[in-house]
Amino acid sequence: MDAQGRGRADNIDPADQWVLNPNTGEYELRLTPSAPQSAVPGPRRPTTPSTPSTPSRTAPSGTPEVPGQRRRRAEPEPPPGRRSRRQPVKKKSKAKKVLLWTGGSMAFVLVAVSAAGYLYIKHLNDNITSVSDDGASTGGFSKDKAINLLIIGTDKRTGKGNEGYGDAGSVGHADTNILLHISKDRSNATALSIPRDLIVDVPDCPTEQSDGTTKVIAGTQNVRFNTSLGQDDRTPSCTVRTVTELTGIKPDNFMVADFNAVKTLTDAVGGVEVCLGKDIDDKQSHLKLSKGTHKISGETALAFVRTRHSVGFGGDLSRIQLQQQFLSALMRKLSSNSTLTSPTKLLKLAEVGTKSLTVDSQLDSIGKLKDLGLELGKLNPKNLTFTTIPVLDNPAEAVKATVVLNESKAPAVFQAIKDDVSFTAVKKKQAQASKDAAAARLKGSKSAASEVRVRILNGGAASGSAQETLSWLQNDEGVLKSENAGNAPAELAKTTLEYAPDQADQARELASLMGLSGSAMKPGKSVTNSQGLPAITLTLGKDFQGAGVSLTTPTKAPEVDSKTTADKVTCAK
């Protein structure tokens, strides 16, 4: 019963109420300015004949219910001619009382939600399975750098209902492999598929054992890429090392997904749309779909990404195209409003994602996964390009079962990813004025090579690079006034050429010989060489690849045999 149910009386103060004290975290009875306040819970004051107490109601559990109002003690009249010390009570407006009560209730709700959120985050952290990266990765992605994430799909049979897929009793292979490169400015990304049947050299793999010791698993040469995982007790860190050996690109992190991940993730988002250019009834993958567009999830989604005999030439390269189409569809669905605005879907995604993926030891918390997700969320699907490492049929085989690297095309693809070059036409955020200024440094007269006086420093290149460059410049290019000045004070990511304004013609000549871009040229001041003569300074950075190798970063990605973007639906045939 509330105050109105108990009846109205002149000695009932409607301003009395229970509010939350932010300093103590307790609810207190807020009386008039001159009255004391008591905290909850606390002993009630003993009643006196002059202050009868209103009986409190009792909740079903036996806990006294917080009273809404209480009677005030009558005060004696002041003597004639004297003013009362008690000031007139200003009654709080109804709107203000509502705000106070709502604020106290909201504070309680926020505390409760925070506690529940903490417990749920702990639950998600407990879901995560992580394995050591064994020092094979860079140590984890950075928000201010390009990101290279290796996604590995294994054919190991795990979970209920997967008996019809993969090899019975297999420890699993690196069956589906995608190196996802996200540009530094997050304007674009490249998903590079690595064929499972690509012949590679698997390097030695130091691997942490269950007892904390490290065992080096011996490498093998001329084997399928998919043997980099599972075979000979190899862990995902060995697949990471194999990717680095193959491409020269060191992944920051890795994720491993099994059959269940495909099924549960597609269920969580409510299915994804794919397209077939013909009817398919594949007895081996269990995929049976008619020509056209279909929304698939669960078992059908798994069958879709496992199909290869009924599409293209029936090999792994044809299946890669299906997998790329599936991932494009998943990307579109994840970035759609229907997913991002649905708390139910987001919670379900968090649940199944943390349960179905195995991550490296640098991604072993929901906080780290959230940070990675935020970086991935900056991508526009139209600027996410799917392509495959350029390969050729293995010439050593009469019956073609494996492929080898296309040495005339693959290196350019790897270099473009290293140089953060987009495979789609993306407007870069760099100001055009800055680009024009850099290009202008290369324009103008050039001095003769014999007139270039330069000091060469090693600022992060391989040991001996300064001496190698000195020999090349003097013996092959006629830059006789050059000298090896040793190591630079600090390492640089990029090679630079510093010069004074009156040395610009020498700098342009040396930039032309070295293949330097305008951004590598740094107008500054002249220094003196060992003979006390003014000279320009060439500092070889970590990007230096050898004397005579151009350091001009390509602005356009090389042509590839197949390419599609995540915003487009391509019907598989």
Side-chain angles (χ1 to χ4, degrees), residues 318-350:
S318 299
R319 177 166 61 183
I320 284 176
Q321 294 179 3
L322 285 180
Q323 293 169 346
Q324 291 176 347
Q325 183 190 160
F326 170 79
L327 290 173
S328 294
L330 183 59
M331 177 72 176
R332 290 193 298 272
K333 193 61 179 283
L334 287 173
S335 60
S336 69
N337 286 335
S338 63
T339 300
L340 296 178
T341 58
S342 170
T344 302
K345 286 183 179 180
L346 290 175
L347 288 176
K348 194 171 183 181
L349 272 172

Side-chain angles (χ1 to χ4, degrees), residues 206-539:
T207 307
E208 182 179 320
Q209 305 300 296
S210 58
D211 61 359
T213 61
T214 298
K215 174 184 176 182
V216 178
I217 300 174
T220 53
Q221 286 72 46
N222 295 315
V223 293
R224 279 182 167 90
F225 182 91
N226 67 350
T227 62
S228 64
L229 176 67
Q231 314 310 301
D232 300 321
D233 296 326
R234 291 184 178 123
T235 65
S237 66
C238 196
T239 306
V240 172
R241 294 185 193 277
T242 305
V243 169
T244 304
E245 184 90 0
L246 173 68
T247 65
I249 302 166
K250 194 171 188 177
D252 299 302
N253 298 99
F254 65 75
M255 290 182 174
V256 183
D258 59 15
F259 293 148
N260 284 324
V262 176
K263 295 193 290 187
T264 56
L265 284 173
T266 51
D267 284 341
V269 298
V272 298
E273 288 191 356
V274 296
C275 183
L276 294 174
K278 63 180 181 180
D279 296 342
I280 288 184
D281 186 0
D282 193 315
K283 300 297 189 265
Q284 291 184 284
S285 69
H286 315 302
L287 181 67
K288 185 175 182 179
L289 288 175
S290 60
K291 176 182 177 180
T293 302
H294 300 269
K295 178 180 283 189
I296 61 174
S297 62
E299 291 288 344
T300 306
L302 178 57
F304 184 85
V305 299
R306 295 289 300 164
T307 295
R308 63 187 175 98
H309 296 288
S310 300
V311 292
F313 296 104
D316 186 52
L317 295 180
S318 299
R319 177 166 61 183
I320 284 176
Q321 294 179 3
L322 285 180
Q323 293 169 346
Q324 291 176 347
Q325 183 190 160
F326 170 79
L327 290 173
S328 294
L330 183 59
M331 177 72 176
R332 290 193 298 272
K333 193 61 179 283
L334 287 173
S335 60
S336 69
N337 286 335
S338 63
T339 300
L340 296 178
T341 58
S342 170
T344 302
K345 286 183 179 180
L346 290 175
L347 288 176
K348 194 171 183 181
L349 272 172
E351 190 71 33
V352 302
T354 52
K355 282 184 177 179
S356 60
L357 298 174
T358 297
V359 298
D360 68 84
S361 48
Q362 309 298 331
L363 283 177
D364 59 355
S365 73
I366 193 65
K368 295 175 183 177
L369 288 171
K370 177 210 68 175
D371 289 342
L372 177 59
L374 290 174
E375 296 304 309
L376 295 175
K378 297 175 183 178
L379 289 174
N380 188 323
K382 71 178 182 180
N383 295 327
L384 170 57
T385 304
F386 285 89
T387 189
T388 306
I389 289 180
V391 295
L392 300 169
D393 286 332
N394 191 345
E397 295 175 336
V399 177
K400 305 305 180 184
T402 61
V403 292
V404 296
L405 205 64
N406 185 333
E407 297 291 352
S408 65
K409 293 183 177 182
V413 172
F414 301 152
Q415 190 61 47
I417 293 176
K418 290 180 188 177
D419 292 335
D420 209 18
V421 177
S422 175
F423 280 73
T424 55
V426 180
K427 292 183 178 180
K428 291 288 186 178
K429 296 180 180 179
Q430 182 182 8
Q432 188 62 41
S434 177
K435 294 172 64 176
D436 292 343
R441 294 169 195 154
L442 296 172
K443 298 178 181 179
S445 60
K446 301 175 185 176
S447 66
S450 59
E451 297 301 318
V452 175
R453 185 178 290 108
V454 57
R455 298 168 65 249
I456 306 169
L457 298 172
N458 190 331
S463 179
S465 293
Q467 185 58 43
E468 176 191 356
T469 302
L470 175 66
S471 299
W472 172 73
L473 286 174
Q474 290 185 342
N475 298 328
D476 296 352
E477 303 299 332
V479 184
L480 303 179
K481 299 177 181 179
S482 52
E483 67 178 29
N484 182 351
N487 293 325
E491 292 189 351
L492 301 178
K494 301 287 186 180
T495 296
T496 62
L497 178 59
E498 186 176 6
Y499 57 95
D502 61 347
Q503 297 171 317
D505 53 348
Q506 295 184 47
R508 284 191 286 266
E509 173 64 14
L510 187 60
S512 177
L513 296 175
M514 295 285 299
L516 295 176
S517 64
S519 60
M521 301 179 68
K522 306 296 181 184
K525 60 182 180 179
S526 175
V527 295
T528 55
N529 62 10
S530 59
Q531 298 175 340
L533 299 173
I536 60 179
T537 302
L538 174 67
T539 305

Side-chain angles (χ1 to χ4, degrees), residues 129-188:
T129 300
S130 65
V131 295
S132 175
D133 72 340
D134 296 314
S137 71
T138 64
F141 77 94
S142 298
K143 295 181 180 180
D144 58 345
K145 296 180 180 179
I147 299 174
N148 292 301
L149 176 66
L150 181 62
I151 303 171
I152 305 170
T154 176
D155 61 350
K156 183 178 180 180
R157 289 183 179 180
T158 56
K160 184 179 179 180
N162 295 323
E163 296 81 6
Y165 302 99
D167 299 329
S170 172
V171 293
H173 302 77
D175 228 26
T176 300
N177 308 276
I178 295 177
L179 180 61
L180 178 61
H181 172 84
I182 302 100
S183 69
K184 181 179 179 179
D185 64 3
R186 308 296 185 254
S187 67
N188 65 91

Side-chain angles (χ1 to χ4, degrees), residues 39-167:
V40 176
R44 296 177 62 94
R45 297 192 179 199
T47 60
T48 65
S50 62
T51 57
S53 173
T54 301
S56 65
R57 291 171 296 160
T58 303
S61 62
T63 303
E65 184 176 343
V66 176
Q69 299 173 338
R70 64 183 297 179
R71 299 178 184 272
R72 288 167 39 205
R73 181 182 304 171
E75 295 201 8
E77 291 292 331
R82 293 185 61 182
R83 298 178 59 186
S84 171
R85 293 182 182 178
R86 180 180 176 88
Q87 298 297 320
V89 176
K90 293 182 180 180
K91 293 186 177 181
K92 298 178 183 178
S93 69
K94 185 176 181 180
K96 190 169 183 179
K97 287 192 294 181
V98 170
L99 286 174
L100 283 171
W101 174 247
T102 304
S105 300
M106 185 57 67
F108 178 78
V109 170
L110 289 175
V111 170
V113 169
S114 298
Y118 168 78
L119 293 176
Y120 188 64
I121 289 173
K122 185 178 184 303
H123 164 73
L124 292 177
N125 280 330
D126 291 341
N127 283 348
I128 297 172
T129 300
S130 65
V131 295
S132 175
D133 72 340
D134 296 314
S137 71
T138 64
F141 77 94
S142 298
K143 295 181 180 180
D144 58 345
K145 296 180 180 179
I147 299 174
N148 292 301
L149 176 66
L150 181 62
I151 303 171
I152 305 170
T154 176
D155 61 350
K156 183 178 180 180
R157 289 183 179 180
T158 56
K160 184 179 179 180
N162 295 323
E163 296 81 6
Y165 302 99
D167 299 329

